């Protein structure tokens, strides 16, 4: 099974920074994309940022210019550098990846981490 382990969440003041990390491990043949969703309290889950194996990135409009996603393919790890944090960034941040378990797989399967809490105080 594919496992995703997040780290780096915590409490930070408005305007501060955090860097989230997510490492994938387990039965992995290849990963074509990794990224982050977030789920604010009482709200729906939303896509924050993603990055493909080739390095193409996408960001939610709300975080463009403030967040940067990066990836270390050799370590199957994705990072999210979050700068100029705002209270509205407060959420559980969940890592995801699309992975094939072995060379005979036909499709990528989406996997989720457990989530890490990010709280931004005003």
């Amino acid at each position: 099974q594919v496992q995703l382990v997040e780290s780096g969440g915590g409490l930070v003041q408005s305007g501060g920074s955090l860097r989230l990390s997510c490492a994938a491990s387990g039965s992995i043949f290849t990963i074509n994309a990794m990224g982050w969703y977030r789920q604010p309290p009482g709200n729906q889950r939303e896509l924050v940022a993603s990055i493909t194996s080739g390095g193409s990135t996408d960001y939610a409009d709300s975080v463009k210019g403030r967040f940067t996603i990066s990836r270390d393919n050799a370590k199957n790890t994705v990072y999210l550098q979050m700068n100029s944090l705002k209270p509205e960034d407060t959420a559980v941040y969940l890592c995801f990846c699309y992975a094939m378990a072995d060379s005979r797989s036909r499709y990528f399967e989406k996997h989720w981490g457990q989530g890490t809490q990010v709280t931004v105080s005003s």
Side-chain angles (χ1 to χ4, degrees), residues 23-62:
S25 62
S27 181
I28 300 171
F29 177 67
T30 188
I31 296 173
N32 77 341
M34 300 185 75
W36 299 87
Y37 282 76
R38 68 184 181 187
Q39 188 165 15
N43 287 278
Q44 296 184 35
R45 190 174 298 178
E46 62 181 354
L47 181 64
V48 177
S50 64
I51 185 167
T52 70
S53 59
S56 298
T57 59
D58 283 301
Y59 297 92
D61 288 342
S62 59

Side-chain angles (χ1 to χ4, degrees), residues 79-100:
Y79 307 93
L80 187 67
Q81 179 66 45
M82 305 185 294
N83 298 326
S84 301
L85 283 162
K86 305 174 181 179
E88 49 263 47
D89 295 319
T90 295
V92 174
Y93 283 70
L94 301 108
C95 178
F96 75 90
C97 74
Y98 287 93
M100 288 185 180

Side-chain angles (χ1 to χ4, degrees), residues 2 5 11 18 22-23 26 28 31 41 59 66 69 78 82 86 97 104 109 119:
V2 176
V5 179
L11 176 65
L18 287 172
C22 175
I28 300 171
I31 296 173
Y59 297 92
R66 299 189 297 121
I69 191 168
V78 65
M82 305 185 294
K86 305 174 181 179
C97 74
R104 301 194 67 176
E109 185 176 10
T119 302

Side-chain angles (χ1 to χ4, degrees), residues 2 7 20 43 45 67-68 76 89 105 118-119:
V2 176
S7 63
L20 306 182
N43 287 278
R45 190 174 298 178
F67 291 10
T68 302
N76 286 329
D89 295 319
S105 298
V118 171
T119 302

